[in-house]
Amino acid sequence: MAAPDISVSDRAPAADFSLLYTQHHGWLHQWLRGKLGNAFDAADLAHDTFLRVLAGRKVADINEPRAYLTTVARGILVNWYQRRALETSFLEALALLPEAQAPSAEHQHIILETLAQVDAMLDTLPARAKSAFLLSQLEGLKYEEIAERLGCSLISVKRYMKQAFLACLTLME
């Protein structure tokens, strides 16, 4: 049985957060465990959810805590699944390399972190800019070919690529 929500309007922010955590952590952990089928990953994602809440808006402003926590947790869950897919793809590609060419465990970790950062950066781009960048970088298409594939002008492709390259430079900083 869930604990009743207690009004938090007169409390300090730390007390608000503590109350939110106390009242809803168990429920959120169970909800995530049902989605993941794994208590350890669910605990990690519940922790990440509360960290994001702590870094975000004032807890006292949250009218529907479970709905809000669910929304935040879903976003974290999507990111988690994307990262797992990225890691799986990387490990599959790595398995195809001869053992002598495989990077060390430390380099593998660095590569995975970099891939996750690039993936997150690409998600900030508009869809057409992301597509143009990926067609250029992964398929080696020339700008004219990208314009034809995307059904847009050459100047639009140049604009998309500029957006993508600026995002890459920002990531490098």
Side-chain angles (χ1 to χ4, degrees):
M1 182 168 145
D5 285 342
I6 299 170
S7 174
V8 293
S9 60
D10 297 328
R11 297 192 203 302
D16 291 345
F17 182 79
S18 179
L19 185 61
L20 178 74
Y21 185 89
T22 301
Q23 289 181 340
H24 300 288
H25 179 269
W27 168 82
L28 181 62
H29 181 264
Q30 282 303 112
W31 182 82
L32 287 165
R33 186 174 181 179
K35 297 284 183 196
L36 297 167
N38 178 321
F40 298 110
D41 290 336
D44 285 344
L45 295 185
H47 175 77
D48 291 349
T49 300
F50 279 101
L51 283 177
R52 188 162 301 167
V53 169
L54 185 61
R57 63 193 270 198
K58 292 181 183 177
V59 174
D61 295 339
I62 299 172
N63 295 323
E64 298 290 332
R66 288 190 177 181
Y68 184 73
L69 289 170
T70 301
T71 300
V72 173
R74 277 193 179 118
I76 290 171
L77 194 56
V78 166
N79 292 341
W80 185 82
Y81 278 123
Q82 287 174 333
R83 185 172 176 118
R84 293 282 302 254
L86 190 63
E87 288 175 6
T88 300
S89 295
F90 173 70
L91 293 174
E92 287 172 356
L94 198 59
L96 298 175
L97 289 176
E99 191 173 325
Q101 293 180 352
S104 68
E106 180 182 354
H107 282 115
Q108 288 179 31
H109 178 72
I110 291 168
I111 292 167
L112 281 171
E113 287 299 314
T114 303
L115 284 172
Q117 290 173 344
V118 169
D119 186 52
M121 178 274 299
L122 289 173
D123 283 344
T124 67
L125 293 174
R128 292 177 75 84
K130 180 178 178 178
S131 295
F133 181 76
L134 291 175
L135 288 170
S136 169
Q137 299 302 304
L138 299 181
E139 295 188 27
L141 297 183
K142 296 180 179 173
Y143 288 8
E144 294 83 8
E145 296 168 316
I146 296 169
E148 185 178 312
R149 179 92 61 97
L150 296 179
C152 63
S153 67
L154 180 59
I155 195 71
S156 292
V157 171
K158 289 178 181 180
R159 189 170 42 247
Y160 298 149
M161 293 302 292
K162 180 181 176 183
Q163 283 180 297
F165 285 131
L166 286 174
C168 289
L169 288 172
T170 301
L171 179 64
M172 289 175 59
E173 292 175 356

